[in-house]
Amino acid sequence: MIISNILFLPFRRTHAVSLSTAIRQYISTKYDQHPDMFTQDLEVIDRLRSDAINSLEAHVSGIRKLQAYAAQLVWIGGKFPIDIGVDFTWYPALGYNTQRPISQNNLRFELANILYNLASLYSQLAMSLNRNTSEGLKSACNYFCLSAGVISYLRTDIIPEMRSTPPEDMDEMTMESLESLLLAQAQECFWQKAVKDGLKDASIAKLAAKVSDLYDQAGEFGVKSDTISSEWIHHMTAKHHHFAAAAQYRQACDCLEKRKYGEEVARLKDSLLCVNEALKEGKWINKTVLADLNGLKNKVQEDLRRAENDNDVIYLLPVPPKSELKTIDRASMVLSKVPKEVSESSSMLGDHGQFGQPLFARLVPFAVHVAASIYAERRDRLVNSSIIDELEGLTTKLHDLLQSLNLPGSLQALERPLGLPPGLVSHAEEIRQQNGLDRLYRSMEDTAKLKANDQATYIEGVETLQSEAAEDSRTRGRFGTERWTRPSSRDAAAKLYSQIEEIDGYLKSANSSDELVKGKLKDCESLLRILDGTDRDLEEFVPSSRRATMTAKVEREAGRLRSALNEVSRLENRRKRKIEGLREKAKTDDINTVILAEAARLEREYPMQKIEAGQFEDLFERRLQRYDSDRAMISEEQEEQEQIAFRLQETNTSFFNARRGDTSTKEREQALQKLENAYFKYKEIISNLDVGRKFYNDLAKIVGRFRDESKSFAYQRRSEAGRMESDLSNAMSSLNISQTNALQQQRHHEIHMPPYSIKAPAEQPLTAPVPTRAAAAPPPASPGMWTPEMGIKFGGNASLNGNVQQAPNNPGTKVRGGQWDPSRGLQFG
């Protein structure tokens, strides 16, 4: 990799993959738009990738190809998940594993590799230029700064967002080392241009000192990296000392010009020391760098001889030690420059952007659909629960009050003692047109079907979890908890198991409500049949009464009560219109356009950030403020109803007192009131059934999601269990094979071993124990019994009667009774 006296970054290589296939699959499964709408975009993304990964030569045309693909990757990162479903395979460019590919299902990993190749291209363009001219050096310096900028952007902005472990040649230390190396080479180009342009020695010295610092910094980071090769580290070290020597040499030249002859000698000596340090790396650096060092050394030695001779003979100035030399100032002329095409890539896309239109711009992010659903649910809950339910609750209270006052039956019976009151006739006609009882029963049947479907879906999800838990328990029992180390089913899916009780609570609560509605219908069914029948049925149920003689007082109080009842009717009708208008307002409240505009803004401002539904919370709050006036209306309605109810009770009391003792219309009053109450009960049951149907439809989404997540969890757990079981079975098989081999080897060894011998092997000598001797003569011992006073006997050739035998290794020496003599050493066998 080392060419000339500078280094360049090699390209990373990859294989061709079809990114469009994964995107098409994701669109078809996660969006409500058909992937064929984006056929052209799918073709373009594959072409961009092909152009980018094949730009592996130092040519300026490759810059645009890499930048364009990178810009589109950043853009689509906000529309698709990071794990889109493609395993991007790339080979490392540095280190000792460049033939071992790395694969990740990660769009950011793909982007990181493309940007790395862009940095490589910049460095190779700098390498390819003619650095013997000022213009060539200037362009090379710029390319190296751009390369360092891309590496810096990669290190600070891209790799931390990968959500996975970066490749070993993209770790923090490697990136830091590469950035410092590229900046050092950029500064070296500037230094070389300064030398070529004939700048002052003091300025050149400052430039060289900074080059030395940057190479030193690159080497320090390189030592901490596992992928920067030793060859590169030796190169950086040599360059560090080289430019330290060059800086001192140029500063010495400046001292000569300023007639600081003693300091000149000191700096030349230090320059020579630095050159010699650099030359210690001579075995590992390339010939060009070595030739540069030798050339500098010859020049420094020549000037040092001249300077020492002049100072010793002519100037006689003291030569200061190195510690007293002033540190050379640094002049940094380079900076990591991130191209705008990389850092602000989203601004390069569009009608007037150099990279063309952003791909999949018409694709509505999935989070937008989720956000729209969340808003619709929140809006409906606000409108229905917080406003409409409150208003209908007020109306129910009003009906309860009328029922408790026996109104309007008592007034109708007095005003119309014969025939049917118009209000009752209109109520009966309404029920007939709606096919009242049949409508209620059909609605109940439909609700029961929805309930049964929800229960079946819920039970399916529960049984899936129970089946998976049973399988996990059986497998855990077979392998044991020490080997089967994964979490239990309840711990691994705590959220799903908590939903079991939650959904069960919903179903039980709904069942109680259903029974309550059935009870209401049963109580008023006979009366509803009368209202749903003919006028003749009504006339038979409502008895006629004789026409009562109405006094002036009764007539006056009846008029006041009729006025109060008319106020109640007007309030109720006005409230119905408000509720209908509110429902229409909610129905036409389409937030999709606003959400799309907000999503477009987020994509422009945060192109690398995936859009989430939670990012629209502020928009929801602002949008729901349009219903603040409707919420305020509730208190106004309540206040108005309280005033009407007070007048109604007051006038009814006066009416009752005026008719006290008159029972001529009592039976008719009761019949009319029962039918009136049945009508209101009918309206209440219809409302209850509508609420129940909506509840079960909403619950269907919840239990459906619960069942699907349970199935997905069970599938993942079974796949994981299969892999674990396979690994454990293989490990146990290997263990059994190794144990079998060990037993076979042991049996083979025992078969071929010689019979046990008393003679110890010569290569493993026994350490002889040191005997303890008694001062007195040993007492006689019984034959065949050993006592401590007898000493230690080794397997010699003593006869059974204790006669002395000749040792095999020293036939001329006698031993006494088999007792060991320390002066004779050890003998075996």
Side-chain angles (χ1 to χ4, degrees):
M1 294 183 206
I2 299 180
I3 302 174
S4 185
N5 58 351
I6 59 175
L7 303 175
F8 67 89
L9 304 185
F11 287 115
R12 298 173 72 88
R13 296 176 296 109
T14 185
H15 298 306
V17 295
S18 179
L19 180 55
S20 63
T21 302
I23 294 177
R24 174 182 289 273
Q25 179 66 21
Y26 191 84
I27 292 175
S28 64
T29 56
K30 298 295 184 180
Y31 289 86
D32 60 355
Q33 294 167 277
H34 198 279
D36 287 346
M37 295 172 57
F38 308 96
T39 301
Q40 185 176 356
D41 291 347
L42 292 168
E43 293 174 355
V44 170
I45 194 65
D46 278 345
R47 185 176 69 249
L48 287 174
R49 185 176 197 273
S50 178
D51 292 344
I53 65 175
N54 290 312
S55 298
L56 300 179
E57 57 183 29
H59 195 277
V60 291
S61 62
I63 297 176
R64 179 182 174 85
K65 295 176 182 178
L66 289 164
Q67 289 177 345
Y69 180 50
Q72 294 291 357
L73 282 176
V74 172
W75 169 257
I76 67 176
K79 291 185 173 290
F80 300 106
I82 191 171
D83 50 345
I84 185 65
V86 181
D87 287 328
F88 297 103
T89 301
W90 287 86
Y91 289 85
L94 302 173
Y96 304 97
N97 297 312
T98 55
Q99 300 303 316
R100 185 181 300 169
I102 300 173
S103 295
Q104 289 191 19
N105 176 16
N106 192 323
L107 281 174
R108 301 284 172 82
F109 175 70
E110 171 84 346
L111 176 60
N113 284 278
I114 292 298
L115 290 180
Y116 180 92
N117 273 3
L118 179 60
S120 301
L121 178 58
Y122 280 133
S123 71
Q124 293 187 34
L125 287 172
M127 183 78 186
S128 65
L129 292 172
N130 181 9
R131 297 190 307 282
N132 292 321
T133 65
S134 295
E135 282 301 317
L137 288 169
K138 185 177 178 181
S139 297
C141 177
N142 183 56
Y143 278 135
F144 276 129
C145 288
L146 290 172
S147 181
V150 175
I151 291 293
S152 174
Y153 182 77
L154 186 59
R155 175 176 59 85
T156 58
D157 289 55
I158 304 301
I159 294 178
E161 297 295 326
M162 281 178 58
R163 305 180 195 173
S164 63
T165 304
E168 61 179 5
D169 59 341
M170 285 189 184
D171 67 339
E172 183 75 14
M173 292 297 103
T174 303
M175 293 288 101
E176 290 275 13
S177 178
L178 294 180
E179 184 181 355
S180 297
L181 171 64
L182 293 165
L183 288 176
Q185 296 184 157
Q187 180 84 3
E188 182 177 351
C189 290
F190 201 94
W191 166 85
Q192 192 174 348
K193 183 176 182 299
V195 173
K196 186 175 289 294
D197 293 346
L199 268 64
K200 292 183 178 180
D201 289 318
S203 299
I204 296 175
K206 294 175 182 178
L207 294 171
K210 185 61 181 178
V211 176
S212 176
D213 291 348
L214 289 170
Y215 272 119
D216 182 44
Q217 188 174 327
E220 288 181 357
F221 284 122
V223 170
K224 299 175 184 178
S225 167
D226 293 331
T227 53
I228 300 296
S229 65
S230 58
E231 185 180 10
W232 278 31
I233 294 174
H234 288 302
H235 174 88
M236 298 170 190
T237 304
K239 283 283 193 174
H240 160 58
H241 294 300
H242 180 181
F243 280 92
Q248 288 290 27
Y249 174 75
R250 286 290 178 171
Q251 195 66 28
C253 294
D254 183 67
C255 291
L256 175 61
E257 183 179 351
K258 295 177 180 178
R259 299 183 180 182
K260 299 178 181 179
Y261 303 112
E263 183 178 344
E264 177 197 8
V265 173
R267 292 195 180 276
L268 287 172
K269 286 183 177 180
D270 189 58
S271 177
L272 186 59
L273 288 175
C274 292
V275 171
N276 289 332
E277 281 295 319
L279 287 171
K280 291 180 180 179
E281 310 292 333
K283 294 181 181 179
W284 302 282
I285 59 179
N286 84 338
K287 295 179 180 179
T288 304
V289 177
L290 187 60
D292 290 344
L293 284 171
N294 285 324
L296 177 60
K297 180 178 181 180
N298 294 334
K299 181 63 176 174
V300 171
Q301 286 177 331
E302 180 182 343
D303 284 10
L304 179 59
R305 285 194 295 270
R306 187 264 312 152
E308 284 181 327
N309 183 63
D310 290 349
N311 190 53
D312 292 343
V313 175
I314 304 173
Y315 307 117
L316 304 176
L317 293 177
V319 177
K322 181 179 179 179
S323 58
E324 295 181 7
L325 294 176
K326 180 184 176 182
T327 303
I328 301 174
D329 294 334
R330 267 59 175 168
S332 180
M333 305 303 295
V334 296
L335 191 66
S336 297
K337 296 194 299 185
V338 184
K340 286 184 63 177
E341 293 82 358
V342 172
S343 61
E344 302 175 16
S345 59
S346 58
S347 64
M348 304 294 168
L349 298 171
D351 294 334
H352 305 291
Q354 59 176 313
F355 298 145
Q357 292 291 340
L359 301 180
F360 309 102
R362 292 175 298 145
L363 181 66
V364 179
F366 184 65
V368 171
H369 295 284
V370 175
S373 300
I374 291 173
Y375 174 77
E377 181 182 350
R378 197 172 298 179
R379 177 202 61 209
D380 292 343
R381 186 168 62 247
L382 171 65
V383 170
N384 294 322
S385 301
S386 301
I387 302 177
I388 293 179
D389 286 355
E390 291 291 331
L391 293 175
E392 290 181 342
L394 291 175
T395 302
T396 301
K397 288 182 180 179
L398 195 57
H399 290 163
D400 292 341
L401 176 61
L402 291 173
Q403 184 176 351
S404 67
L405 298 177
N406 201 25
L407 291 173
S410 60
L411 185 59
Q412 288 175 343
L414 179 65
E415 290 178 336
R416 197 176 181 91
L418 300 174
L420 298 174
L424 178 61
V425 173
S426 64
H427 290 164
E429 186 63 27
E430 180 184 344
I431 292 177
R432 290 170 193 156
Q433 289 178 356
Q434 295 177 357
N435 200 10
L437 273 177
D438 288 342
R439 176 186 177 183
L440 293 181
Y441 283 121
R442 283 198 309 270
S443 183
M444 280 187 166
E445 289 176 3
D446 293 341
T447 303
K449 290 178 182 177
L450 291 174
K451 177 182 177 181
N453 290 335
D454 291 350
Q455 287 177 328
T457 305
Y458 166 69
I459 292 172
E460 184 180 357
V462 172
E463 289 177 348
T464 300
L465 291 178
Q466 291 174 345
S467 174
E468 188 281 325
E471 292 173 6
D472 180 70
S473 179
R474 286 195 299 270
T475 313
R476 192 182 303 276
R478 189 165 79 250
F479 288 101
T481 55
E482 292 185 358
R483 293 191 183 95
W484 200 255
T485 56
R486 71 172 183 171
S488 65
S489 299
R490 187 171 290 274
D491 293 337
K495 183 179 178 181
L496 286 176
Y497 276 88
S498 66
Q499 285 182 347
I500 293 178
E501 298 179 359
E502 185 179 351
I503 296 174
D504 185 56
Y506 292 156
L507 290 171
K508 288 180 179 177
S509 176
N511 187 63
S512 300
S513 300
D514 294 342
E515 294 298 323
L516 186 62
V517 173
K518 289 179 181 178
K520 290 179 182 179
L521 179 58
K522 184 177 180 180
D523 292 341
C524 65
E525 182 177 4
S526 59
L527 294 171
L528 289 177
R529 290 191 182 279
I530 296 172
L531 287 170
D532 198 22
T534 62
D535 287 346
R536 185 176 181 83
D537 296 331
L538 287 173
E539 290 172 353
E540 291 179 355
F541 181 78
V542 179
S544 297
S545 61
R546 62 180 176 82
R547 183 177 295 276
T549 303
M550 295 177 62
T551 63
K553 182 178 181 181
V554 171
E555 189 172 355
R556 184 177 65 252
E557 295 302 333
R560 290 181 61 205
L561 183 57
R562 171 55 61 190
S563 298
L565 284 174
N566 289 338
E567 278 190 81
V568 171
S569 297
R570 285 193 295 270
L571 173 64
E572 191 172 348
N573 290 332
R574 187 170 63 250
R575 187 172 291 166
K576 285 181 180 178
R577 289 193 297 271
K578 287 182 178 180
I579 290 175
E580 290 173 0
L582 186 57
R583 283 177 173 150
E584 186 64 26
K585 179 181 178 180
K587 185 178 179 180
T588 58
D589 182 12
D590 186 6
I591 199 176
N592 287 330
T593 305
V594 181
I595 288 183
L596 286 173
E598 179 67 9
R601 183 188 69 81
L602 293 171
E603 287 176 340
R604 288 193 305 270
E605 296 182 5
Y606 310 101
M608 290 294 291
Q609 184 175 348
K610 182 183 177 183
I611 295 179
E612 302 288 349
Q615 294 172 287
F616 299 95
E617 283 296 329
D618 293 340
L619 175 62
F620 295 163
E621 293 295 330
R622 294 194 302 269
R623 185 80 174 187
L624 291 174
Q625 288 176 359
R626 60 174 55 192
Y627 297 98
D628 288 349
S629 59
D630 300 302
R631 298 177 72 179
M633 174 187 65
I634 296 175
S635 58
E636 298 174 1
E637 288 282 323
Q638 185 173 5
E639 184 178 352
E640 183 179 2
Q641 178 169 313
E642 289 175 354
Q643 294 174 359
I644 292 175
F646 177 76
R647 289 196 296 271
L648 181 65
Q649 288 174 305
E650 183 183 16
T651 55
N652 184 70
T653 302
S654 300
F655 175 73
F656 180 79
N657 291 333
R659 293 192 64 215
R660 186 181 299 277
D662 184 4
T663 60
S664 60
T665 60
K666 189 170 183 61
E667 290 184 4
R668 184 175 175 83
E669 288 176 17
Q670 292 176 347
L672 290 174
Q673 191 60 43
K674 285 181 180 178
L675 293 175
E676 192 72 19
N677 293 342
Y679 169 76
F680 288 128
K681 190 64 69 175
Y682 168 76
K683 303 292 285 186
E684 182 180 342
I685 292 172
I686 287 179
S687 177
N688 293 152
L689 290 174
D690 288 342
V691 171
R693 186 167 53 252
K694 184 178 185 306
F695 168 79
Y696 284 118
N697 281 326
D698 293 340
L699 185 63
K701 300 176 184 177
I702 297 174
V703 295
R705 186 164 54 246
F706 166 73
R707 178 196 59 191
D708 294 343
E709 290 178 357
S710 298
K711 287 184 175 180
S712 176
F713 169 74
Y715 175 77
Q716 293 174 0
R717 291 274 287 184
R718 289 189 179 107
S719 300
E720 181 187 22
R723 291 192 298 270
M724 290 180 64
E725 193 169 351
S726 176
D727 293 342
L728 289 172
S729 298
N730 292 337
M732 295 178 69
S733 298
S734 301
L735 180 61
N736 291 335
I737 292 172
S738 62
Q739 289 176 342
T740 302
N741 292 338
L743 291 172
Q744 289 177 349
Q745 291 176 359
Q746 181 178 356
R747 190 177 298 111
H748 179 79
H749 181 66
E750 290 174 353
I751 293 173
H752 293 83
M753 271 186 62
Y756 176 75
S757 173
I758 216 168
K759 183 176 181 180
E763 62 273 15
Q764 295 182 358
L766 294 174
T767 303
V770 178
T772 303
R773 296 182 179 279
S782 301
M785 181 180 295
W786 178 83
T787 61
E789 292 78 8
M790 294 172 60
I792 298 174
K793 295 186 289 182
F794 291 88
N797 294 325
S799 63
L800 291 175
N801 57 8
N803 293 334
V804 177
Q805 300 291 328
Q806 289 185 347
N809 293 332
N810 197 355
T813 307
K814 308 280 185 176
V815 290
R816 295 172 297 154
Q819 188 169 349
W820 176 62
D821 183 1
S823 62
R824 298 181 59 248
L826 294 175
Q827 297 176 355
F828 297 93

